[in-house]
Amino acid sequence: RPRVLSGIQPTADSFHLGNYLGAVRNWVAMQETHDAYYCVVDLHAITMGHDPAALRQRTRVSAAQLLALGLDPERCTLFVQSHVPEHAQLGWVLSCITGFGEAGRMVQFKDKSAKAADTTTVGLFTYPILQAADILLYQADQVPVGEDQRQHLELTRDLAQRYNTRFGRTFTVPSPYIVKDTAKITDLQDPTSKMSKSASSPNGIIELLEDSARSAKKIKSAVTDTGREILYDEENKPGVSNLLTIYAALTMRTIDELLEQYEGRGYGDLKKDLAEIVVDFVKPIQERTRAYLEDPEHLDKVLAIGAEKARAVASVTLAQAYQNIGFLSPA
Ligand code: TYM
């Protein structure tokens, strides 16, 4: 079975619809076909300033949501990044083969550091290198992510190839797995930007755990476009196109079917129906998340087993990487 690894940050009280449709939905599907490793990346979550108690809680809530969304610990390895020390260890080694300029070209770093120049940390700068370590430790063949991670995946591939060339074959060179249709869910209020935990306004983002009446309201007040016809046109009708994308993804229907169904009808009809679909989608997820959170001991046990399985793989890769780079093995 091919290997897959992906990660998600516990930086908000809830995942949003973009996280689910762009990434986690594919994680769930890939547990059936791949040897799958998924992690809640808490090391990445401290790069922008954070509250310790909130981080601990959000890490648990993240794991609970992933289980509620369909990850099955019998079918995949679900773990918390900081439970596997090899991530930080390989991150250091990879940082020593990454060019300063190369890291400085990462657009997410440039965007985030430009917005908060005074508080930008070295950790934010080396963030993509740690991400590369996450992936390479598991010899992942594929990495299911949204479009915004494409450049980080390119860096990961470059680092893997460089290491292999300089020190001998060590890492699998991974490919991004980006499903085009849902790779960039956009902000409901600003439909040319992506839906984002950090950048979207509260009304632009559907949080899976928020009150579903609130989600319905947000869908109904989503920015649509001039004109009245329901058409899929990302250039000229990004708002309506985004709603169609979400609708199609949540109902497993094609955009063409939806266009036929809504021919001659208005934006109001589309939004009203989509609001209902979103509410029906999030309700059971909220219930299941709550159930997992009611039994934190069980949840922590699942994560402990996941960490043990993850470490078994990560430690072998790290030992090989250490060996190849010339570290003396401890006697
Ligand atoms: P994060 O936590 O920001 O997002 C988790 C996943 O959700 C995807 N995503 C979206 N997809 C479609 N439309 C959107 N609006 C949208 N917003 C977010 C992201 O692309 C991502 O797949 N750096 C990563 C976390 C990470 C990681 C890794 C990923 C750390 N190590 C190793 C893969 C492999 C991040 O910040 O994702």
Side-chain angles (χ1 to χ4, degrees):
R1 279 187 158 201
R3 217 23 108 57
V4 62
L5 175 125
S6 199
I8 190 161
Q9 293 197 71
T11 42
D13 293 329
S14 169
F15 296 150
H16 60 67
L17 211 45
N19 297 136
Y20 176 66
L21 294 177
V24 177
R25 195 162 75 122
N26 300 320
W27 300 12
V28 175
M30 288 171 111
Q31 24 170 32
E32 310 302 334
T33 49
H34 289 66
D35 183 17
Y37 292 79
Y38 300 125
C39 62
V40 177
V41 292
D42 53 352
L43 299 178
H44 281 107
I46 62 170
T47 50
M48 301 269 286
H50 74 287
D51 172 65
L55 176 61
R56 208 177 334 271
Q57 176 62 9
R58 286 169 169 182
T59 300
R60 277 214 183 97
V61 175
S62 295
Q65 275 179 100
L66 291 173
L67 294 167
L69 288 166
L71 291 190
D72 175 356
E74 303 281 316
R75 292 192 163 75
C76 72
T77 299
L78 172 64
F79 64 102
V80 173
Q81 186 188 31
S82 66
H83 293 176
V84 182
E86 285 81 359
H87 290 248
Q89 292 175 292
L90 184 62
W92 170 257
V93 171
L94 294 178
S95 74
C96 297
I97 65 158
T98 308
F100 195 83
E102 189 177 31
R105 281 193 292 276
M106 297 293 115
V107 296
Q108 277 203 348
F109 171 74
K110 287 199 277 189
D111 287 352
K112 290 189 175 173
S113 59
K115 275 188 211 147
D118 302 344
T119 53
T120 297
T121 65
V122 174
L124 187 67
F125 184 67
T126 57
Y127 176 117
I129 306 172
L130 179 61
Q131 180 168 351
D134 299 341
I135 297 165
L136 300 181
L137 273 178
Y138 298 89
Q139 308 287 6
D141 300 290
Q142 286 183 319
V143 185
V145 286
E147 181 61 39
D148 61 349
Q149 297 300 314
R150 191 182 287 281
Q151 194 189 26
H152 290 170
L153 265 292
E154 276 305 315
L155 176 70
T156 304
R157 289 169 57 85
D158 288 345
L159 294 179
Q161 272 154 352
R162 189 172 306 157
Y163 206 100
N164 290 346
T165 306
R166 284 200 202 155
F167 306 117
R169 165 109 191 57
T170 313
F171 300 120
T172 301
V173 181
S175 307
Y177 180 90
I178 300 174
V179 177
K180 196 173 151 287
D181 291 345
T182 49
K184 186 182 170 189
I185 302 299
T186 63
D187 185 320
L188 299 177
Q189 290 298 319
D190 175 13
T192 53
S193 319
K194 72 166 179 176
M195 186 179 285
S196 155
K197 299 182 242 215
S198 52
S200 293
S201 70
N203 286 335
I205 165 175
I206 301 285
E207 294 195 343
L208 302 180
L209 300 183
E210 75 190 354
D211 176 33
S212 61
R214 200 171 139 83
S215 301
K217 227 170 157 184
K218 292 181 188 178
I219 297 278
K220 287 182 192 155
S221 58
V223 167
T224 28
D225 316 282
T226 52
R228 311 177 48 208
E229 249 185 308
I230 295 179
L231 294 174
Y232 189 87
D233 179 345
E234 283 174 49
E235 284 278 302
N236 301 307
K237 286 179 173 270
V240 174
S241 301
N242 189 44
L243 296 180
L244 287 167
T245 296
I246 295 171
Y247 195 137
L250 289 180
T251 56
M252 302 292 174
R253 299 178 57 202
T254 66
I255 301 272
D256 282 342
E257 282 167 16
L258 297 179
L259 292 178
E260 205 174 303
Q261 182 184 336
Y262 286 94
E263 208 187 314
R265 296 168 65 191
Y267 295 159
D269 283 352
L270 176 75
K271 288 178 175 179
K272 189 167 153 290
D273 293 349
L274 179 58
E276 251 172 59
I277 288 162
V278 167
V279 169
D280 289 345
F281 172 71
V282 296
K283 277 200 166 150
I285 290 162
Q286 295 181 357
E287 272 163 36
R288 290 199 292 268
T289 302
R290 213 172 301 130
Y292 282 113
L293 289 172
E294 270 164 19
D295 192 353
E297 272 168 38
H298 171 74
L299 190 59
D300 290 355
K301 184 86 198 297
V302 167
L303 294 173
I305 293 169
E308 201 179 314
K309 288 199 305 186
R311 253 199 118 167
V313 176
S315 61
V316 172
T317 307
L318 184 74
Q320 189 65 53
Y322 271 20
Q323 167 82 26
N324 291 358
I325 208 167
F327 292 158
L328 178 65
S329 317

